[in-house]
Amino acid sequence: MRFVIVGYGRVGARTARVLSEEGHDVVVVENDEQKVERARRAGFEVVEGDGSNEAVLERADIAEADAIGGVTGDPNVNFAACMIGKEYGCRTVMRISEDYREEIYDQYAEDVDEIIYPERLGAAGAKTALLGGNFNALGDLTERLQLSTVTVPDGAPAVGKRITEIDLGPNARIYAHSHDREEMTIPLPGTEVRAGDQLALIIDLDAVDEVKTALLGEAAEAS
């Protein structure tokens, strides 16, 4: 598969590396000279320019791409890149900050395939979204990260808490959620966890037991 990654900051660089290591074709679009040089030194095909400009994305051969990821720190650039990619039939994934208001999230969510919050483990999440990953699956995303799905039992520490109130530490995050076994979606910050909900977690392999105990309590220890 071929991917266009707009932005070569920390998230863009890691996402590009993970995709490349798995054998995919990656082209980076970046307008910062230093980041352009870093991407080239890393061996990536690079198109220098503004990722929100259609002519620049055409130089990146957007017409042949399977997906585009707008992962710069500017949501306006990310959204514009995704909208151009959408016109070319690409799967679209954009980065926004976790502190965006719900109405802003809804505005973007109507038009792109996936929204990612990359502050902690976003590279793995971006890779999964670009590939159209199934959040109900269980599998390794990178050498050290795992995607795991859990069902929240009655009495679990997470019950009654909003997503933003659940602190799993630096080695894990809740990436997707569902009520009543509906299709999993990326949760809004104010989403409240109920007994019976399913949560998709991205976890460092060394922290799996600790994280599940923090979420599920005794039920995790008994499993």
Side-chain angles (χ1 to χ4, degrees):
M1 298 177 72
R2 181 174 176 84
F3 299 95
V4 175
I5 303 299
V6 178
Y8 197 75
R10 285 179 295 178
V11 174
R14 291 171 184 170
T15 304
R17 176 178 57 79
V18 170
L19 287 166
S20 179
E21 287 176 351
E22 294 188 353
H24 300 291
D25 293 329
V26 177
V27 56
V28 172
V29 176
E30 177 59 66
N31 62 359
D32 181 282
E33 291 184 4
Q34 291 184 333
K35 293 177 181 177
V36 166
E37 288 305 310
R38 283 206 300 271
R40 285 177 175 154
R41 286 198 302 270
F44 291 108
E45 176 187 351
V46 183
V47 172
E48 188 170 0
D50 182 353
S52 64
N53 185 304
E54 184 171 0
V56 172
L57 293 181
E58 286 177 344
R59 285 164 44 208
D61 207 9
I62 188 69
E64 299 300 319
D66 295 284
I68 182 169
V71 294
T72 75
D74 185 338
N76 294 317
V77 170
N78 297 341
F79 185 69
C82 285
M83 291 302 93
I84 294 168
K86 190 174 183 179
E87 291 298 316
Y88 285 86
C90 292
R91 179 174 176 79
T92 56
V93 175
M94 75 168 285
R95 167 190 178 178
I96 66 172
S97 173
E98 286 184 332
D99 59 5
Y100 269 76
R101 300 189 308 275
E102 183 171 334
E103 59 267 28
I104 300 298
Y105 173 98
D106 290 340
Q107 175 186 332
Y108 288 136
E110 289 180 359
D111 294 312
V112 301
D113 292 307
E114 292 285 357
I115 292 176
I116 59 168
Y117 306 102
E119 279 73 11
R120 292 181 182 173
L121 302 175
K127 186 209 75 170
T128 304
L130 283 162
L131 290 170
N134 178 357
F135 296 119
N136 290 299
L138 173 65
D140 291 335
L141 296 180
T142 70
E143 186 178 350
R144 296 303 311 159
L145 299 178
Q146 183 182 77
L147 178 63
S148 180
T149 301
V150 298
T151 300
V152 180
D154 288 323
V159 173
K161 291 185 178 180
R162 293 182 296 176
I163 293 293
T164 52
E165 295 174 332
I166 300 173
D167 183 8
L168 301 180
N171 296 317
R173 67 174 291 115
I174 297 170
Y175 191 69
H177 163 271
S178 73
H179 286 310
D180 302 321
R181 298 196 175 275
E182 296 175 348
E183 182 179 353
M184 280 194 163
T185 60
I186 296 175
L188 296 172
T191 298
E192 183 176 305
V193 176
R194 308 169 189 163
D197 285 0
Q198 286 189 306
L199 300 174
L201 314 171
I202 300 175
I203 317 174
D204 185 285
L205 291 175
D206 292 334
V208 171
D209 291 340
E210 176 185 348
V211 168
K212 288 187 176 180
T213 297
L215 271 176
L216 310 180
E218 294 180 1
E221 296 173 2
S223 63

